[in-house]
Amino acid sequence: MSEEKKKVDNRRTIDPAALAVIDKNTANGQLETAYERYVKMQPQCNFGRTGVCCRICLQGPCRITKKSSKGVCGAHGYTIVARNLIRTISGGTGAHSDHSRHMLYALMEVLEGKAPDYGVEDPEKLRRVASRLDIEVEGKEDNELLEAVLQQAISDFTKITPEPCKWLETTVVPERMEKFDACNIQPRSIHTTISETMGQTHMGVDADPVNLIFQGLKTSLCDYICMHIGTDLSDILFGTPKPVYTEANFGVIDPEMVNIAVHGHNPLLSEMIVRQAREMKAEAEAAGAKGVKCMGICCTGNEVLMRQGVPVLTNFLSQELPIMTGAVDLMVVDVQCIMPGIKALSDCYHTRIVTTMSHSKIPGSYHIDFTEEHAVAKAKEVINLAIEAFKERQGKEVDIPDIKHKVTAGFSMEAIEDVLSAVNPDAPIKVVTDAVDSGQLRGVVLFAGCNNLRVPHDGSGAYLIKEMAKNNVLIVATGCAAGTAAKLGLMNAEAVEEYAGEGLKAFFNTLNEANKDKLKEKLPLVLHMGSCVDNSRAYDFTTALARQWGVDVPKVPFVASAPEAMSEKAVSIGSWCVTLGIPTHVGVVPEVTGSALVDGVALQIAEDVYGGYFMWEEDPEKAAQKILGALDERTWKLKVHKQTAEKYETELSKGW
Ligand code: BF8
Ligand code: SF4
């Protein structure tokens, strides 16, 4: 590969702040980040990329080739691809369940008085969740309700008997539950299903690809369940998000402050660090700083953005680059999507890397073992380490790209309903269905998921957001896709002026006018619904639309898009989106194309059975057309079915 080509290839981002750091690094002789490692990694293995490499038993790896169409044991390509796929879904579900189980433990400790620094921040949410779970709330104390909610969560996590999981039954439309019964994919519990999937994919068990895929979809429903539990419990513990106003991108780093980047997914520690940072201004001042500034990376960043208005530093792919500004004093990480590469890079600077979870360590880093019992003390320990690092930084060069954008975030489902209720207090969600029925809006699109070096960082995400806005689509976002919008100036009211079509502008104008006494600033182009776990909020939006229209989800003009999907969690989320009835665009073709059968199930058969389906499309222009096509098809069908029902005075058709 020529030097010229190499140089071009490591510039795989459209984020100008990230690009500035990459270019300076290249000019200075290159420290290694993911952008350079990706170049070195080429070409990547096509057997792995198409899913036809099996390493499930020690006779492998077995690869499907022209010469050998089966593994040593006789497993066909379709079995190998299906097994690999559903193990990936299981991995994603395992990660999400790990996260929400931690929230569950923390609340159990609150209940037992063993986590004195935490409490129920949002008793109203506790009551809403309890009554949704059919728990009697009248006359009950918070602790009594919390205990009942936690017992229900434990049951959804662990039971081995077949009655439906409460978090599924009470958050989807009844037609979905009938579908899951009919297809035999009703999960017994999260842990049981993950265990079933690992057993079913052991060497020499299930060879039937369709049976395997259905088990994968069952597992993905468990992913949905544990994400919903995670969101609900986080809101109970830390509060339900409301609109917040802040900034995003590297320009949020302030060289005169002690800068702490919080990174990972679990809000238990990061919430404490953010709260404690405000208390420790005097200590920072004593070290010569103006104070302590926290800023977020990945979904821990999203959690503290949504509830505390903490600035967004960056999203997944560029997580290493802020260290190279020389001004990040400490990066504290918890679990998931943390590149081990941050450690080697930090060795070239004064930056401290602190791991905090016993099951998520990076060799050579500081480790402060986080416990709920001593949360504030642990948070203080982290901040003191950052203050020490700040002192060490003095006199050293810092170079921070002066790029940042205004951000309005904090749109939980409750916050969205609150905004809509200013227009229609009796049926807030009808404001959206009316706008779609009248043609003012073309539908709703969720941008979710990660970054992935296989496609230019933030490139298709930003393109698709602008394209949807121009076409009058209401946009919600989560995870690192929301990070793209925040960093690139698409998550504020100015972006509405610049990019929204006339219908979307009119829709926002109505809402802004009705909320002018309530909202500090006008609504942003992209409504940030939270971390990846909070895709549960986005699905609540879909369910609310379905209930308002009186239809099952496959009739609702709502599409999900993961333009830069990367993690196992993204695969499991995409799979539940499809199972729960949503057309789902994925901008990076996943490892299934080695089997026409498995690929065909994902792209076509899924629609016949569940109403949702995948669209693999790496070209953003084609992806925009496919997403708009999926919205239009649904709006058109909904209209035809409604007209038919009215004409013949029958019920609205259940089919799609
Ligand atoms: O849970 S979007 S890269 S940070 S997996 Fe990871 Fe993907 Fe980002 Fe959030 Ni979600
Ligand atoms: Fe090969 Fe079969 Fe073993 Fe897979 S399970 S590695 S295909 S022998």
Side-chain angles (χ1 to χ4, degrees), residues 54-57 59-60 62 71-73 75 80 83 203:
C54 185
R55 292 186 298 111
I56 277 175
C57 89
Q59 298 174 98
C62 294
V72 172
C73 66
I80 293 173
R83 276 196 308 221
M203 190 274 159

Side-chain angles (χ1 to χ4, degrees), residues 171 173 224 228 411-417 420 428-433 436 441 443-446 473-478 507 511 527-529 534-549 553 556-559 576 582:
T171 60
V173 295
Y224 168 80
H228 214 301
F411 292 94
S412 58
M413 195 55 215
E414 288 88 337
I416 291 177
E417 278 174 348
L420 299 172
I429 201 72
K430 195 162 179 296
V431 179
V432 180
T433 56
V436 175
L441 291 181
V444 184
V445 169
L446 160 69
V473 172
L474 180 62
I475 303 163
V476 296
T478 56
F507 178 77
L511 293 179
L527 301 177
H528 196 326
M529 295 196 84
D534 295 331
N535 280 310
S536 62
R537 302 191 201 276
Y539 194 72
D540 285 348
F541 198 161
T542 324
T543 301
L545 293 169
R547 287 189 175 137
Q548 183 59 43
W549 269 308
V553 172
V556 175
F558 186 109
V559 172
W576 65 247
I582 299 177

Side-chain angles (χ1 to χ4, degrees), residues 15-38:
D15 176 348
L19 216 43
V21 177
I22 290 171
D23 285 348
K24 187 180 169 202
N25 182 36
T26 305
N28 287 349
Q30 273 194 6
L31 296 174
E32 196 182 75
T33 72
Y35 297 88
E36 288 76 35
R37 289 190 295 269
Y38 181 77

Side-chain angles (χ1 to χ4, degrees), residues 99-116:
H99 172 147
S100 59
R101 194 174 47 245
H102 199 162
M103 305 305 298
L104 177 56
Y105 280 143
L107 273 166
M108 285 164 72
E109 292 192 315
V110 167
L111 207 53
E112 291 162 13
K114 291 186 194 155

Side-chain angles (χ1 to χ4, degrees), residues 156-205:
D156 279 12
F157 261 105
T158 58
K159 76 184 168 57
I160 56 169
T161 46
E163 62 285 357
C165 290
K166 274 283 184 192
W167 252 272
L168 186 61
E169 188 183 28
T170 60
T171 60
V172 303
V173 295
E175 291 85 352
R176 287 287 95 187
M177 292 301 276
E178 287 163 21
K179 176 59 74 183
F180 305 150
D181 283 334
C183 297
N184 200 21
I185 61 162
Q186 197 71 257
R188 294 187 173 206
S189 71
I190 298 158
H191 292 168
T192 305
T193 308
I194 293 173
S195 157
E196 283 169 6
T197 299
M198 294 314 282
Q200 192 168 330
T201 52
H202 184 274
M203 190 274 159
V205 184

Side-chain angles (χ1 to χ4, degrees), residues 547-568:
R547 287 189 175 137
Q548 183 59 43
W549 269 308
V551 297
D552 191 1
V553 172
K555 276 221 178 86
V556 175
F558 186 109
V559 172
S561 170
E564 302 174 49
M566 173 276 299
S567 72
E568 289 178 314

Side-chain angles (χ1 to χ4, degrees), residues 347-651:
D347 288 343
C348 305
Y349 295 86
H350 75 296
T351 311
R352 314 291 201 252
I353 303 291
V354 182
T355 57
T356 53
M357 300 286 160
S358 58
H359 64 306
S360 180
K361 295 184 177 177
I362 303 175
S365 302
Y366 290 82
H367 185 77
I368 294 181
D369 200 15
F370 173 71
T371 54
E372 286 80 56
E373 290 90 331
H374 307 290
V376 165
K378 296 288 176 178
K380 276 187 179 159
E381 217 177 306
V382 172
I383 297 167
N384 278 325
L385 204 53
I387 293 173
E388 284 309 307
F390 171 86
K391 288 186 202 159
E392 208 176 289
R393 163 155 64 92
Q394 300 319 299
K396 291 187 181 154
E397 187 200 332
V398 300
D399 186 1
I400 306 163
D402 186 18
I403 296 171
K404 61 180 176 180
H405 292 279
K406 274 172 65 184
V407 167
T408 301
F411 292 94
S412 58
M413 195 55 215
E414 288 88 337
I416 291 177
E417 278 174 348
D418 190 42
V419 166
L420 299 172
S421 69
V423 176
N424 186 340
D426 300 325
I429 201 72
K430 195 162 179 296
V431 179
V432 180
T433 56
D434 283 351
V436 175
D437 288 339
S438 73
Q440 188 182 48
L441 291 181
R442 209 154 157 183
V444 184
V445 169
L446 160 69
F447 286 101
C450 325
N451 311 128
N452 185 329
L453 271 159
R454 282 168 60 184
V455 290
H457 176 206
D458 294 326
S460 49
Y463 174 84
L464 286 170
I465 287 170
K466 290 177 192 168
E467 218 35 40
M468 291 305 117
K470 188 169 87 188
N471 283 283
N472 301 311
V473 172
L474 180 62
I475 303 163
V476 296
T478 56
C480 290
T484 299
K487 288 189 309 170
L488 300 181
L490 299 170
M491 200 171 268
N492 52 44
E494 289 72 18
V496 175
E497 287 310 311
E498 198 170 343
Y499 299 110
E502 289 312 311
L504 184 59
K505 263 188 198 155
F507 178 77
F508 277 129
N509 283 343
T510 309
L511 293 179
N512 285 329
E513 188 54 31
N515 285 283
K516 64 174 185 290
D517 298 330
K518 209 156 55 177
L519 289 175
K520 207 172 101 189
E521 288 188 25
K522 288 183 180 172
L523 292 162
L525 183 67
V526 176
L527 301 177
H528 196 326
M529 295 196 84
S531 64
C532 273
V533 161
D534 295 331
N535 280 310
S536 62
R537 302 191 201 276
Y539 194 72
D540 285 348
F541 198 161
T542 324
T543 301
L545 293 169
R547 287 189 175 137
Q548 183 59 43
W549 269 308
V551 297
D552 191 1
V553 172
K555 276 221 178 86
V556 175
F558 186 109
V559 172
S561 170
E564 302 174 49
M566 173 276 299
S567 72
E568 289 178 314
K569 294 180 290 171
V571 178
S572 52
I573 293 168
S575 303
W576 65 247
C577 280
V578 166
T579 317
L580 288 165
I582 299 177
T584 302
H585 161 246
V586 184
V588 179
V589 181
E591 293 155 359
V592 295
T593 50
S595 162
L597 191 150
V598 177
D599 201 32
V601 170
L603 298 174
Q604 277 176 325
I605 312 289
E607 183 177 17
D608 298 339
V609 182
Y610 296 102
Y613 53 93
F614 280 112
M615 299 176 269
W616 321 135
E617 185 52 71
E618 296 198 355
D619 178 331
E621 287 178 29
K622 287 185 190 153
Q625 292 315 313
K626 287 184 181 175
I627 294 169
L628 290 170
L631 290 175
D632 290 347
E633 188 196 10
R634 287 186 166 204
T635 315
W636 172 77
K637 269 194 194 165
L638 185 60
K639 203 160 137 195
V640 171
H641 286 183
K642 275 165 89 174
Q643 283 171 350
T644 311
E646 269 169 38
K647 186 170 170 190
Y648 295 103
E649 294 177 1
T650 57
E651 283 194 359

